[in-house]
Amino acid sequence: MEKNLKNVLVISFGFLLLFTAYGGLQSLQSSLHSEEGLGVASLSVLYAALILSSMFLPPVLIKKLGCKWTIAGSMCGYIAFSLGNFYASWYTLIPASVILGLGGAPLWSAKCTYLTIAGNSYAEKAQKNGKDVINQYFGVFFLIFQSSGIWGNLISSLIFSQAATKEEISEENLGCCGAYDCMTDTTNTTGSTKPSNSLIYTLLGIYTASGVLAVLLIVVFLDQIKSDQAAAEKEILETPSFWSTFLATFQHLKDKRQCLLIPLTMYSGFEQGFLSGDYTKAYVTCALGIHYVGYVMICFSAVNSLCSLLFGKLSQYTGRKLLFALATVANTACIIALLLWKPHPKQLAVFFVFPALWGLSDAIWQTQTNGLYGILFEKHKEAAFANYRLWESLGFVIAFGYSTKLQVYIKLYILVSVLVLSMVTYGAVEYLEAKSSSGTPAATKTENVGQETHM
């Protein structure tokens, strides 16, 4: 096997193992640690740390440690988060979330840098186009990585199913589920008794072992980039300093279009935060039991992956406006239905319809918003995508931050308000674009822009 491809596969399977654990844990936080809102508070802190991390840590760590050891070191932060869940308290889980958040940005940056250098290196030897090889490597990576959402959630559901009781849930308890939830710490136990500590420890043991395997895979099998050290050094030296990145990010806000895209970008964080923090707890865990959370999130992940591929291809025929309209209609329909619906175990299929439609919408928000940023801000991509990460992460921080303070119906009203505002401001961006390009050929409109996941 060609050496560079071997390294791409090592990184891909390392990330698959790591995010199998993290993805499963993130889906369970609000249900597993509902006491005083510890679970969602930890996720809010995690994304706040990620914002700080993305601004200054990646270039420093990559320069000091190189890509291989930055990846291995950052992965240890994810293991710390798994360990923090063993004895979950404000003194263990919050610091573990900060460590993971700080490691998140360097991990993704080092991965991108490594794949880019490996792609250029192979292209030079094989006399191929560098961009083509890099796109191929990223394609292989995401093909393997995207399935992590399925495996992590499958493991949690299979383990928690061992303790699932067949008790009938009283109508009184079911009245506390859904949009008008009772705001109690015990809503996560109405569907079934909370899994025993031994089952929780078994799950956390598997997740921790998965993270340790990921680190060992990187340390033992990933080659340090030596032959291309000059290229690596050049790439790192060209990385802007903390202050220049920080200033460029906020100077980019002088662009009216960037300001108008803030609600849409934040909505991406809000809607993902609602599904993993509120839907899983107030609807699924409350009415069906915690063992169903994994199955429901598998449905979301599978539809999300398939639709990302589908809409990536489809957008060149339909244009982005039609796809944004489809996502808006699907999300609005879901929000209205969630406001009216009283979840009941007899309506099992309905619990899977919502994440499926949410996955369809999220696929459009992710692919088309990333593409929109790449096309609108072609000359200032770094500052534009720094803004994208900043505002999306802020959406997560706010969504998880108010999760335990408000009833679900209020969160749904906030969600639909932000969605309406997003579409109004997005419409204004399209209007400005049409106005400015009416006298110039829109050759750049067909540019295909790659998507990068934030965590």
Side-chain angles (χ1 to χ4, degrees):
M1 188 192 289
E2 196 268 314
K3 183 182 164 188
N4 281 319
L5 183 59
K6 185 267 293 184
N7 287 325
V8 171
L9 291 173
V10 168
I11 287 182
S12 302
F13 281 104
F15 271 66
L16 174 64
L17 286 166
L18 190 72
F19 281 86
T20 289
Y22 172 71
L25 267 179
Q26 179 174 300
S27 301
L28 291 169
Q29 284 304 301
S30 61
S31 300
L32 212 50
H33 310 305
S34 60
E35 301 80 10
E36 297 177 15
L38 173 60
V40 285
S42 71
L43 293 175
S44 187
V45 167
L46 192 158
Y47 280 97
L50 187 68
I51 293 173
L52 292 174
S53 162
S54 62
M55 284 184 171
F56 64 94
L57 267 184
V60 177
L61 284 183
I62 294 170
K63 192 171 184 178
K64 297 282 182 194
L65 305 175
C67 290
K68 174 180 174 173
W69 296 108
T70 300
I71 291 171
S74 300
M75 281 181 166
C76 293
Y78 286 74
I79 298 171
F81 184 69
S82 296
L83 293 172
N85 276 270
F86 271 97
Y87 182 71
S89 72
W90 292 92
Y91 303 106
T92 55
L93 203 52
I94 299 300
S97 299
V98 172
I99 293 167
L100 191 157
L102 291 175
L107 178 72
W108 284 95
S109 296
K111 182 270 300 178
C112 290
T113 305
Y114 193 104
L115 292 186
T116 303
I117 294 170
N120 283 330
S121 162
Y122 177 69
E124 206 175 299
K125 286 176 196 166
Q127 295 182 325
K128 291 184 177 179
N129 185 318
K131 279 186 181 176
D132 290 344
V133 177
I134 291 166
N135 284 338
Q136 191 184 337
Y137 282 177
F138 273 96
V140 170
F141 172 82
F142 279 108
L143 180 72
I144 296 167
F145 168 78
Q146 290 285 19
S147 67
S148 63
I150 294 170
W151 306 122
N153 288 310
L154 184 62
I155 291 167
S156 74
S157 281
L158 289 174
I159 287 176
F160 286 153
S161 293
Q162 308 293 312
T165 58
K166 301 291 179 187
E167 293 170 22
E168 279 293 315
I169 306 152
S170 70
E171 293 299 321
E172 188 187 347
N173 278 340
L174 283 172
C176 277
C177 303
Y180 298 89
D181 60 321
C182 300
M183 293 284 290
T184 59
D185 287 343
T186 54
T187 50
N188 72 307
T189 60
T190 55
S192 64
T193 53
K194 188 175 179 179
S196 66
N197 279 346
S198 63
L199 279 179
I200 293 171
Y201 292 153
T202 302
L203 178 69
L204 293 173
I206 291 169
Y207 282 165
T208 305
S210 184
V212 171
L213 273 176
V215 173
L216 289 174
L217 192 66
I218 297 297
V219 170
V220 175
F221 295 105
L222 188 68
D223 298 319
Q224 179 74 286
I225 301 177
K226 288 175 184 170
S227 57
D228 296 286
Q229 201 61 46
E233 286 298 319
K234 188 182 172 205
E235 185 129 352
I236 292 154
L237 289 170
E238 283 173 0
T239 306
S241 68
F242 163 58
W243 287 114
S244 63
T245 305
F246 186 81
L247 289 171
T249 301
F250 289 98
Q251 278 173 344
H252 196 256
L253 291 169
K254 287 178 183 174
D255 190 322
K256 201 186 293 181
R257 297 168 306 169
Q258 174 62 72
C259 292
L260 287 167
L261 284 175
I262 289 172
L264 177 62
T265 315
M266 285 182 72
Y267 178 74
S268 176
F270 275 101
E271 55 94 8
Q272 290 177 77
F274 176 83
L275 188 78
S276 58
D278 297 306
Y279 180 74
T280 53
K281 182 187 175 189
Y283 291 85
V284 183
T285 301
C286 184
L288 296 177
I290 197 169
H291 56 290
Y292 268 99
V293 169
Y295 296 133
V296 163
M297 293 306 285
I298 287 168
C299 180
F300 169 77
S301 297
V303 174
N304 193 274
S305 297
L306 288 171
C307 288
S308 293
L309 281 171
L310 175 66
F311 294 134
K313 303 274 186 202
L314 206 60
S315 60
Q316 56 190 314
Y317 304 109
T318 61
R320 59 176 178 256
K321 292 174 206 166
L322 193 66
L323 290 178
F324 274 128
L326 173 63
T328 306
V329 169
N331 256 172
T332 307
C334 282
I335 291 167
I336 293 168
L338 286 169
L339 280 165
L340 300 173
W341 181 50
K342 292 302 292 178
H344 199 284
K346 288 177 181 173
Q347 303 163 330
L348 188 62
V350 183
F351 288 91
F352 291 88
V353 170
F354 286 111
L357 287 171
W358 214 270
L360 178 144
S361 302
D362 184 64
I364 295 174
W365 300 130
Q366 299 304 319
T367 57
Q368 299 310 305
T369 309
N370 272 280
L372 185 62
Y373 267 77
I375 291 165
L376 292 183
F377 312 114
E378 196 181 352
K379 291 177 183 172
H380 306 284
K381 273 187 183 158
E382 282 195 356
F385 281 107
N387 267 283
Y388 178 85
R389 286 193 299 271
L390 170 67
W391 298 112
E392 186 187 42
S393 298
L394 190 59
F396 273 109
V397 171
I398 296 168
F400 289 131
Y402 67 48
S403 185
T404 53
K405 312 295 179 199
L406 304 172
Q407 276 186 281
V408 174
Y409 79 93
I410 298 172
K411 295 175 215 171
L412 286 165
Y413 284 132
I414 291 171
L415 210 54
V416 79
S417 303
V418 178
L419 177 56
V420 170
L421 177 64
S422 301
M423 287 302 99
V424 170
T425 54
Y426 163 68
V429 170
E430 289 289 8
Y431 172 73
L432 288 172
E433 273 304 282
K435 204 173 162 187
S436 66
S437 64
S438 55
T440 55
T444 55
K445 296 288 179 191
T446 55
E447 186 194 343
N448 201 5
V449 182
Q451 180 195 359
E452 175 57 69
T453 311
H454 55 282
M455 265 301 289

